[in-house]
Amino acid sequence: MTTARATRLTRNDWLMAGREALATTGPAALRAEALARQIGTTKGSFYWHFRDLPQFQQALIAGWEETALQALLEAETRPTPAAALLHLAQGINAGRLMEGAMRAWALSYPPAAEATGRVDAARLGRITAHLHAIGVTNPDMAHVLRAAMQGLAALDTPERADSAISSLVDLILALR
């Protein structure tokens, strides 16, 4: 008789399950028992990797923030400021489910609000710098572009959002 060896869950497995639950169901799904059911294990495994739910939630938030800030660094590798702006928008659009979930969570959970605030400030700083590099110095344009990037990711299909933000960047370039 052969027995299948059970795969041990890792901290990352739990975080992936948490991201999926947050993105599809919302913060109410971030409970050890519900997550354990979702991935087919006991909540004891959860507590092996996390001291408590707040530590797990902080790890989720930190992971999202790190990913969002990494996208800013990746945009810096683009050959032009306009290409960097498009890359930033596409990154927000690609992570649309988590972006929306984090913003919704931020309305009721201060640590999520603090993280989204830091990400927003970093994005605004990079967008402002890229716009200045192409000759657009009106600070309101950076706010408009950041809001458009986030709003389009939340409100439209991924393809439509990419197309619309590309058109907006082209319009800004044409107006300078």
Side-chain angles (χ1 to χ4, degrees):
M1 176 180 198
T2 334
T3 38
R5 182 175 171 264
T7 304
R8 286 189 176 246
L9 293 174
T10 65
R11 180 179 175 89
N12 192 52
D13 292 329
W14 282 100
L15 291 169
M16 286 175 46
R19 284 189 293 273
E20 181 181 328
L22 180 62
T24 59
T25 307
L30 298 178
R31 297 183 334 267
E33 190 171 335
L35 291 168
R37 232 183 349 264
Q38 175 187 325
I39 57 179
T41 192
T42 65
K43 65 182 181 178
S45 172
F46 176 89
Y47 291 108
W48 177 260
H49 296 289
F50 301 97
R51 177 180 61 250
D52 53 21
L53 190 58
Q55 184 189 40
F56 173 72
Q57 292 170 329
Q58 187 55 45
L60 276 175
I61 292 167
W64 173 79
E65 185 174 3
E66 182 181 326
T67 299
L69 295 176
Q70 183 62 38
L72 295 177
L73 295 175
E74 289 170 11
E76 298 303 312
T77 66
R78 297 307 182 257
T80 66
L85 289 171
L86 284 174
H87 185 77
L88 286 175
Q90 290 165 346
I92 293 169
N93 194 28
R96 67 192 298 117
L97 291 178
M98 271 304 288
E99 180 84 18
M102 285 300 299
R103 291 188 178 286
W105 196 15
L107 296 173
S108 62
Y109 191 59
E114 292 163 8
T116 57
R118 287 188 298 270
V119 167
D120 287 347
R123 284 176 177 164
L124 187 61
R126 293 316 311 141
I127 291 167
T128 299
H130 293 310
L131 288 173
H132 276 95
I134 59 176
V136 177
T137 58
N138 180 339
D140 290 338
M141 290 307 295
H143 286 279
V144 168
L145 192 51
R146 182 184 63 85
M149 289 174 176
Q150 291 171 196
L152 285 166
L155 299 175
D156 221 332
T157 66
E159 299 77 22
R160 201 60 213 119
D162 274 346
S163 175
I165 201 68
S166 178
S167 293
L168 181 57
V169 169
D170 288 345
L171 176 64
I172 292 169
L173 291 172
L175 293 174
R176 61 188 162 120

